[in-house]
Amino acid sequence: EPEVTQTPSHQVTQMGQEVILRCVPISNHLYFYWYRQILGQKVEFLVSFYNNEISEKSEIFDDQFSVERPDGSNFTLKIRSTKLEDSAMYFCASSDRGGAEAFFGQGTRLTVV
Amino acid sequence: ELKVEQNPLFLSMQEGKNYTIYCNYSTTSDRLYWYRQDPGKSLESLFVLLSNGAVKQEGRLMASLDTKARLSTLHITAAVHDLSATYFCAVAFTSGTYKYIFGTGTRLKVLA
C-alpha cells in the first residue's frame, strides 16, 4: 500500500542550527502539507503546497521556514535557525486532490537543545 | 478565524460502555475526517465524511456529519481497551486553497 515516508524519524539539533526534514509523498498525489504537533497538543497546520508553490501558510510558518520540492519525489521543510520552541513532531501529508483524504507520514521528532 | 473544537478533551470510560465525541467547526465545509493517534505515532485515517448526512461505521466506531449544524460525531459502542488512543477530527477548507484544520483532540482511555 502506498505511504508517505519521512526521514529522519528523530533529529536532535542545537539551537540556531538549520534543519531539513524530508518527505516522500505518495507518488500520484499533487497536494502536500506540513503539520507540527508539540508534545501532547493539537496538530497544527503549517503550510500547503501545490503546483510547485505554497498555497497557504499559517502564522507559525514565518520567515524561518521554507518548503521545497527539489525533484519529482521529495518534499522538504527547512527551518533556518531553530529555536527551542520548534521542538515538536513534524508530519508531512499528501492528497491526490485538494480537500481529499490526506495521508500522513510517520513523523519526524525534532528536538532542539 | 477557523476553529475546530472537540469535546470532551479527555474521556475515561469502562469497557462495554457507549459514548460520543463531538466535533464542532466554525466555517462551511462538507469534508470532515476522523483520525486516530496512538502515543508517539502518526495519524491513522478512520473515516472520510464527504457530504451532509454521511454516516460511516467500522467495528465499534460510527461517525456522522451534519454540515448544516457544522457538527460531526464519533460514537463508540461497547468500548474495548484497544480503542484507547487520541481521536482527532479534521475539517477540510477548500475555498481557493486547501488545508485541514484539526480539532483539539479527545484522549480516550478505556478501563478494563
Side-chain angles (χ1 to χ4, degrees):
Chain A
E1 186 176 325
E3 61 180 14
V4 177
T5 57
Q6 291 184 242
T7 54
S9 56
H10 189 192
Q11 174 137 15
V12 181
T13 188
Q14 291 209 324
M15 193 168 52
Q17 294 296 304
E18 174 184 287
V19 294
I20 297 176
L21 310 183
R22 291 183 166 78
C23 169
V24 179
I26 294 173
S27 63
N28 63 338
H29 285 187
L30 301 175
Y31 296 81
F32 314 115
Y33 314 87
W34 282 101
Y35 285 79
R36 80 171 185 190
Q37 184 180 33
I38 294 169
L39 186 63
Q41 298 187 25
K42 66 186 286 188
V43 181
E44 300 174 291
F45 169 75
L46 292 179
V47 65
S48 58
F49 190 88
Y50 169 70
N51 201 25
N52 281 321
E53 60 182 24
I54 290 174
S55 297
E56 186 162 351
K57 57 185 181 180
S58 71
E59 59 272 14
I60 302 169
F61 194 89
D62 61 21
D63 292 344
Q64 297 285 39
F65 291 88
S66 62
V67 289
E68 194 177 36
R69 189 156 162 81
D71 53 41
S73 59
N74 290 285
F75 180 51
T76 61
L77 174 69
K78 182 193 291 186
I79 308 175
R80 197 185 341 264
S81 177
T82 50
K83 303 189 277 284
L84 293 176
E85 53 265 37
D86 293 328
S87 295
M89 183 77 94
Y90 288 80
F91 291 107
C92 172
S94 68
S95 64
D96 59 355
R97 289 167 284 115
E101 184 180 9
F103 294 86
F104 285 77
Q106 78 277 24
T108 293
R109 181 170 296 285
L110 177 66
T111 303
V112 183
V113 297
Chain B
E1 184 188 348
L2 303 173
K3 283 188 179 177
V4 182
E5 294 179 339
Q6 284 179 239
N7 70 84
L9 297 182
F10 299 98
L11 177 55
S12 181
M13 57 192 296
Q14 297 287 331
E15 275 194 331
K17 298 292 187 185
N18 305 333
Y19 207 84
T20 300
I21 299 170
Y22 297 88
C23 172
N24 289 91
Y25 53 97
S26 62
T27 304
T28 302
S29 175
D30 59 1
R31 295 167 180 263
L32 189 139
Y33 305 89
W34 283 95
Y35 290 88
R36 168 181 171 144
Q37 186 180 43
D38 291 296
K41 302 292 186 182
S42 186
L43 296 150
E44 175 192 351
S45 179
L46 291 176
F47 296 109
V48 176
L49 303 168
L50 299 178
S51 62
N52 186 41
V55 178
K56 295 279 183 74
Q57 181 158 8
E58 180 74 33
R60 301 174 188 274
L61 300 177
M62 183 172 71
S64 66
L65 177 62
D66 181 342
T67 58
K68 290 183 172 54
R70 299 178 186 168
L71 170 70
S72 179
T73 61
L74 180 66
H75 186 73
I76 304 156
T77 302
V80 293
H81 179 71
D82 285 352
L83 290 179
S84 297
T86 299
Y87 293 85
F88 290 95
C89 62
V91 180
F93 292 99
T94 59
S95 53
T97 61
Y98 302 99
K99 63 183 178 185
Y100 308 84
I101 300 299
F102 279 75
T104 42
T106 297
R107 190 176 299 176
L108 171 66
K109 186 171 184 179
V110 181
L111 306 171

